[in-house]
Amino acid sequence: MQRQWLDAVHSACGARDPREMNPLQMAYIGDTIHDLYVRSMLITQGTSVGAMHRQAVRMVSAFAQARMLEAIERELTPEEADIARRGRNAQAKHAAPKHADPADYAHATGLEALWGYLYVTGRTRRLEELISMALLRTEDIWLRRRSK
């Protein structure tokens, strides 16, 4: 019973052509997926909850997500690159937050759309591979920013 909703999401979205999926809906779920993976990684570091929260805030920012997308762009399949591009170009009904650069915010939406797409189509191995790669390739940013 508990997995029925997840199975329903996968079957409903997986049966559709990815070009027909709304990139903002994919980004909506992708945002949560990104946050979950970041927090899951941070919990293994054995620091205080406050320190983990401060680090998570930095790692889920538009700036951070834009750098992550840049770090993995060359590894994306043409289909994945298209999803990220569609997410990046999607026009949300709201403006970027005041503290976020609009270009970074657009790229972050592209990354979130990619995460959401991989999730709803059941490509969790690829999702984990790309998230791990993105986090690893941008780790120097988090180490530098943590000391500020």
Side-chain angles (χ1 to χ4, degrees), residues 65-73 76 84 88 107 110-111 114:
Q65 291 179 341
R67 303 297 79 77
M68 288 180 189
L69 181 59
E70 290 169 359
I72 62 168
E73 278 181 316
L76 301 180
R88 188 181 64 237
H107 280 81
L111 181 76
L114 175 60

Side-chain angles (χ1 to χ4, degrees), residues 37 118 123-133:
Y37 273 85
L118 292 171
R123 299 176 188 176
T124 54
R125 272 200 192 134
R126 180 64 173 160
L127 172 64
E128 290 173 5
E129 175 187 344
L130 289 174
I131 287 178
S132 295
M133 188 184 303

Side-chain angles (χ1 to χ4, degrees), residues 1-8 119:
M1 184 71 151
Q2 292 177 346
R3 282 199 42 101
Q4 284 180 337
W5 64 269
L6 185 56
D7 292 339
Y119 175 76

Side-chain angles (χ1 to χ4, degrees), residues 17-30:
D17 183 330
R19 292 172 297 235
E20 294 176 12
M21 295 175 72
N22 181 328
L24 294 176
Q25 288 176 330
M26 290 186 288
Y28 175 76
I29 192 73

Side-chain angles (χ1 to χ4, degrees), residues 43-61:
I43 204 161
T44 66
Q45 296 179 353
T47 60
S48 71
V49 172
M52 286 188 295
H53 175 73
R54 286 186 295 278
Q55 187 67 10
V57 167
R58 287 189 291 267
M59 295 174 77
V60 301
S61 69

